[in-house]
Amino acid sequence: MSSPPQSGVFSTQTPAVKEPRFIERIYDVASRGDFPMNRYFFDVYNSDGQVLDDDGQFFESRDRARAEALRILHDIARDEMPDRDLVKLTVKVRSDGGAQMFEASLILTSGWSA
């Protein structure tokens, strides 16, 4: 049986991002400047409406946040496409200050031609 990680030390098993103590530790380390991390929020828009991200995720670069936005698009398209002939998706990435920094959209259509 392994002992819990010491305060301020990350375990080899990463807890869910939404676990409050984990987020507090990441924010604490990032705010001290130990390594540059920024919080990005991923808002999802589709034909059913919008889902605004209230929690955000930490990434060390804009490129990583961009990759996450594209991964989100892929995952949602995979889940929604089998049930629909038209899927329109957009992921908008906001900074910690609320400014939109990036947007990625995907439109998928399907249908029998004959």
Side-chain angles (χ1 to χ4, degrees):
M1 181 185 248
S2 64
S3 61
Q6 299 171 358
S7 177
V9 176
F10 298 122
S11 68
T12 55
Q13 295 180 338
T14 303
V17 173
K18 295 188 188 263
E19 195 235 307
R21 284 182 281 146
F22 178 71
I23 290 175
E24 289 170 8
R25 285 189 302 188
I26 289 285
Y27 192 74
D28 183 48
V29 170
S31 65
R32 286 194 321 255
D34 292 349
F35 58 95
M37 296 285 279
N38 292 305
R39 187 188 309 232
Y40 297 91
F41 297 84
F42 299 85
D43 301 329
V44 177
Y45 300 81
N46 65 14
S47 55
D48 295 332
Q50 64 185 19
V51 177
L52 301 180
D53 181 1
D54 294 327
D55 300 322
Q57 297 180 54
F58 287 95
F59 292 96
E60 65 273 9
S61 71
R62 292 166 52 132
D63 289 336
R64 295 283 183 145
R66 176 187 179 276
E68 178 66 7
L70 297 177
R71 186 199 63 77
I72 291 169
L73 276 179
H74 175 267
D75 288 351
I76 295 171
R78 183 187 65 231
D79 292 342
E80 290 188 7
M81 195 60 198
D83 299 332
R84 301 179 183 187
D85 292 331
L86 174 63
V87 176
K88 295 180 181 180
L89 303 170
T90 299
V91 175
K92 295 181 181 182
V93 180
R94 290 181 287 120
S95 68
D96 206 7
Q100 182 178 325
M101 301 178 66
F102 179 79
E103 180 176 324
S105 295
L106 181 64
I107 299 174
L108 294 171
T109 60
S110 68
W112 296 101
S113 56

